Amino acid sequence: MENLFSYSPMAYEMVSHVLTLGFAVMLAALFYFILTMRTVAPRYRISSVLSVVVMVSAFLILYFQQTSWVNAFQFNAATGLYERIGDADTFSNGYRYLNWLIDVPMLLFQILFIVEISRRQRNNLRNWFFFSGAMMILTGYVGQFYETTNTTALLIWGAISTGFFIHVLFLIRRVITEGSIGLPAEAAKVMNVIWWLFLVSWMLYPGGYLMPLLLNSEAGVVGRQITYTVADISSKVIYGVLLTQVAQIRSKAEGFEAEAIPSYASGD
């Protein structure tokens, strides 16, 4: 859809800025997860490691998507618009799907290392998370190629993707409900927040997918990139921070003392 329109300077800059915000937040969060890794007990650190993997992946791919946007359009002084001129590259949301294919399984695996479940349950849920998460992204990836040519195909592939999406929601709800049993009250409260964050932030993605049908215009392009970026920040960064909080609460309840950060002040 993005390649069908010419853009006012405001619309063009809004998309460029929101994509820049996306990869900048991922970079900042990368340092957060690295620096807080030793504030949780060793048994929970794999969740922080997965957050680091997610942040690196999201930063790199969103950076390339922002570059793709900048290279796809040139300013035409005669019209006062940003247009695709000559051999300009096409802009593609495929970068996001590539990022999601890497990140979604990691995001789903993370929570399995924070809650109290058996190894057998963890392995079973990991396999289902990988299968349904990957199929959700792959079917959506196929569907988005039809957004400007075949509405029926777009909706069919979107419906298939939604089936896997519902299965992921069912599994994550089960993990949070069963995994919260026996947690400290404060940690259980954060887990409930995680469920609502997960539900709301992941619901934004179908809206972005259907944007060509809902608002096929310059405003729809801006709206889609804002929607996807807000969803990415919520479902990756805020989600990871909340999981870290649960791990910190559990670690403290188990008697773990966070490793002191070395002081480099004069005389220390």
Side-chain angles (χ1 to χ4, degrees), residues 132-253:
S132 291
M135 291 303 296
M136 176 182 68
I137 301 304
L138 289 173
T139 52
Y141 176 72
V142 174
Q144 56 100 30
F145 283 107
Y146 296 100
E147 64 184 27
T148 61
T149 59
N150 190 329
T151 299
T152 300
L154 174 73
L155 292 175
I156 289 174
W157 284 105
I160 296 172
S161 180
T162 299
F164 291 111
F165 172 60
I166 292 172
H167 186 231
V168 169
L169 287 180
F170 169 77
L171 291 176
I172 203 73
R173 181 59 181 171
R174 174 183 161 193
V175 169
I176 291 176
T177 300
E178 296 179 3
S180 295
I181 298 173
L183 292 184
E186 186 179 357
K189 188 179 298 183
V190 177
M191 290 295 290
N192 187 56
V193 173
I194 288 173
W195 162 246
W196 287 107
L197 172 72
F198 193 98
L199 183 63
V200 173
S201 62
W202 280 51
M203 283 294 185
L204 294 175
Y205 292 108
Y209 180 86
L210 294 173
M211 193 63 72
L213 303 181
L214 302 174
L215 194 62
N216 194 352
S217 65
E218 175 190 85
V221 171
V222 175
R224 173 150 76 173
Q225 295 308 318
I226 291 175
T227 298
Y228 278 158
T229 301
V230 170
D232 277 349
I233 291 173
S234 301
S235 64
K236 297 175 184 179
V237 178
I238 299 177
Y239 170 75
V241 170
L242 291 174
L243 286 178
T244 299
Q245 289 182 359
V246 174
Q248 289 171 335
I249 295 167
R250 295 200 66 186
S251 298
K252 184 177 180 180

Side-chain angles (χ1 to χ4, degrees), residues 54-151:
V54 168
M55 293 306 110
V56 171
S57 168
F59 165 73
L60 290 174
I61 293 180
L62 287 176
Y63 174 80
F64 283 116
Q65 184 164 43
Q66 198 274 342
T67 301
S68 172
W69 176 260
V70 171
N71 292 337
F73 303 95
Q74 302 174 29
F75 183 71
N76 187 339
T79 62
L81 300 173
Y82 282 87
E83 304 171 349
R84 291 194 63 243
I85 300 175
D87 296 328
D89 297 333
T90 57
F91 176 80
S92 173
N93 280 304
Y95 285 110
R96 285 198 187 268
Y97 283 89
L98 176 60
N99 175 230
W100 296 334
L101 186 60
I102 297 170
D103 290 352
V104 164
M106 299 297 103
L107 292 168
L108 297 173
F109 294 166
Q110 276 184 267
I111 198 168
L112 300 178
F113 295 94
I114 298 298
V115 297
E116 199 65 44
I117 58 176
S118 68
R119 182 186 296 271
R120 182 178 179 180
Q121 285 179 299
R122 181 179 293 119
N123 291 339
N124 183 54
L125 285 165
R126 180 196 61 201
N127 293 337
W128 278 115
F129 275 151
F130 179 81
F131 174 75
S132 291
M135 291 303 296
M136 176 182 68
I137 301 304
L138 289 173
T139 52
Y141 176 72
V142 174
Q144 56 100 30
F145 283 107
Y146 296 100
E147 64 184 27
T148 61
T149 59
N150 190 329
T151 299

Side-chain angles (χ1 to χ4, degrees), residues 3-16:
N3 298 294
L4 298 181
F5 306 105
S6 297
Y7 297 93
S8 66
M10 182 175 73
Y12 174 84
E13 292 295 341
M14 286 179 69
V15 172
S16 180

